[in-house]
């Protein structure tokens, strides 16, 4: 369950420059992307939704989560001063941020455990970000895409960066160990919207679903639960709380 061609040490994404890169094109009408990307994106989205259909319908859970975090991020970006194009780019890219969960190294049941994951299960699940690179590379090959397509910033930088680093923490304890200085605003925002929605999903081992304010206060480390202490940009998190209120 640890097979992937990548480790985080192999990768060198400038997550601060991502703030400018995501503003540099518009996925809705880009001349390189437009001829083929809508079909590829639609096929990948269909594959996500169909995942686990005969076993646990986890694809439907993923669809809901990914649609919510992508739309939340797009709308939140508008309040932060990003352009409409950047919001569209984020929405399009972030919908694929969990596609590594479809990697055939995984048993489908690992995503719907009836218990809190063991440490080994937690480590295996965290690999989905890196496995997403493998999954997308294999998918692109089936479409015979051009080198210009593969070099496009949406394909080469924005999609993989949001996929790989949306579980980072400012204190450096996230999946890739990136700390505050290496995390630009876009990634910091993505981490917030993903964690918020994840905390709002009712897990089998939980007695009840968290309310919006319970989720945000947990992320702010208000109260006894300090799981997220030091994790998030508090200025952005305050703005997100206002955005969600």
């Amino acid at each position: 369950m640890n097979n992937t061609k990548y480790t985080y040490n192999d990768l060198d994404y400038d997550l601060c420059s991502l703030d400018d890169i995501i503003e540099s094109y518009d996925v809705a009408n880009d001349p390189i992307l437009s001829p083929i990307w809508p079909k590829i994106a639609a096929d990948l989205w269909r594959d996500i939704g169909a995942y686990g259909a005969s076993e646990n319908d986890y694809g439907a859970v993923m669809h809901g989560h990914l649609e919510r975090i992508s739309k939340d991020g797009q709308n939140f970006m508008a309040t932060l001063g990003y352009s409409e194009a950047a919001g569209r780019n984020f929405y399009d890219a972030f919908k694929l941020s969990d596609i590594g969960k479809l990697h055939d190294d995984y048993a489908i049941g690992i995503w719907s455990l009836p218990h809190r994951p063991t440490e080994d299960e937690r480590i295996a699940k965290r690999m989905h970000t890196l496995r997403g690179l493998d999954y997308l590379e294999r998918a692109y090959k089936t479409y015979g895409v051009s080198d210009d397509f593969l070099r496009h910033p949406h394909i080469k930088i924005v999609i993989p960066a949001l996929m790989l680093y949306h579980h980072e923490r400012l204190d450096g304890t996230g999946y890739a160990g990136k700390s505050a200085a290496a995390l630009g605003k876009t990634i910091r925002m993505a981490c917030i919207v993903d964690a918020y929605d994840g905390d709002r999903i009712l897990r089998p081992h939980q007695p009840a679903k968290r309310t919006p304010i319970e989720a945000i206060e947990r992320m702010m480390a208000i109260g006894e639960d300090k799981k997220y202490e030091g994790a998030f940009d508090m200025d952005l998190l305050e703005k997100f709380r206002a955005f969600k209120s």
Side-chain angles (χ1 to χ4, degrees):
M1 285 274 291
N2 289 318
N3 297 325
T4 177
K5 64 188 286 190
Y6 294 103
T7 70
Y8 282 111
N9 290 333
D10 300 326
L11 306 172
D12 185 26
Y13 288 87
D14 184 342
L15 301 179
C16 293
S17 69
L18 180 64
D19 298 342
D20 294 324
I21 293 170
I22 204 166
E23 291 278 10
S24 68
Y25 64 96
D26 187 342
V27 69
N29 54 31
D30 186 90
I32 293 174
L33 297 175
S34 294
I36 191 168
W37 178 243
K39 173 173 172 47
I40 297 175
D43 288 349
L44 294 172
W45 186 241
R46 180 202 62 221
D47 292 345
I48 291 171
Y51 182 69
S54 62
E55 184 170 330
N56 60 3
D57 288 328
Y58 189 72
V61 176
M62 272 199 292
H63 254 189
H65 171 65
L66 292 170
E67 174 64 28
R68 289 190 302 271
I69 63 174
S70 300
K71 182 55 69 173
D72 246 8
Q74 180 183 24
N75 291 337
F76 186 37
M77 287 170 75
T79 74
L80 297 175
Y82 286 83
S83 69
E84 290 184 5
R88 283 191 290 270
N89 298 339
F90 179 89
Y91 173 79
D92 186 83
F94 213 37
K95 285 174 67 176
L96 302 179
S97 57
D98 279 346
I99 201 165
K101 293 180 177 181
L102 276 61
H103 196 287
D104 52 18
D105 274 358
Y106 284 117
I108 294 172
I110 197 171
W111 307 114
S112 56
L113 297 170
H115 56 265
R116 289 183 183 275
T118 65
E119 187 57 26
D120 285 346
E121 288 168 338
R122 184 174 286 108
I123 290 169
K125 290 170 74 173
R126 285 186 168 199
M127 293 294 291
H128 77 273
T129 53
L130 290 164
R131 289 198 173 106
L133 291 179
D134 297 333
Y135 191 94
L136 288 176
E137 285 184 359
R138 290 202 303 265
Y140 295 151
K141 286 180 181 178
T142 66
Y143 291 90
V145 296
S146 68
D147 288 342
D148 284 345
F149 174 89
L150 293 174
R151 287 193 295 262
H152 191 281
H154 194 62
I155 304 302
K156 185 176 181 179
I157 301 171
V158 175
I159 292 173
L162 288 170
M163 179 177 64
L164 287 163
Y165 300 107
H166 67 276
H167 292 291
E168 294 312 291
R169 298 173 57 132
L170 268 62
D171 61 8
T173 61
Y175 289 15
K178 298 281 188 182
S179 55
L183 302 173
K185 183 169 71 172
T186 306
I187 286 292
R188 293 180 184 214
M189 180 271 302
C191 293
I192 287 171
V193 298
D194 179 74
Y196 170 79
D197 193 78
D199 260 24
R200 292 270 291 125
I201 295 172
L202 179 62
R203 313 292 177 177
H205 60 271
Q206 292 176 326
K209 182 178 179 178
R210 292 188 183 93
T211 67
I213 190 61
E214 285 173 342
I216 290 177
E217 288 188 349
R218 185 171 187 246
M219 293 168 68
M220 290 180 163
I222 295 172
E224 295 182 2
D225 190 341
K226 303 299 182 184
K227 173 182 177 180
Y228 290 120
E229 189 169 31
F232 303 113
D233 181 316
M234 292 302 292
D235 179 61
L236 276 178
L237 192 49
E238 287 283 4
K239 291 174 180 175
F240 185 71
R241 178 163 67 172
F243 164 73
K244 296 299 288 184
S245 64

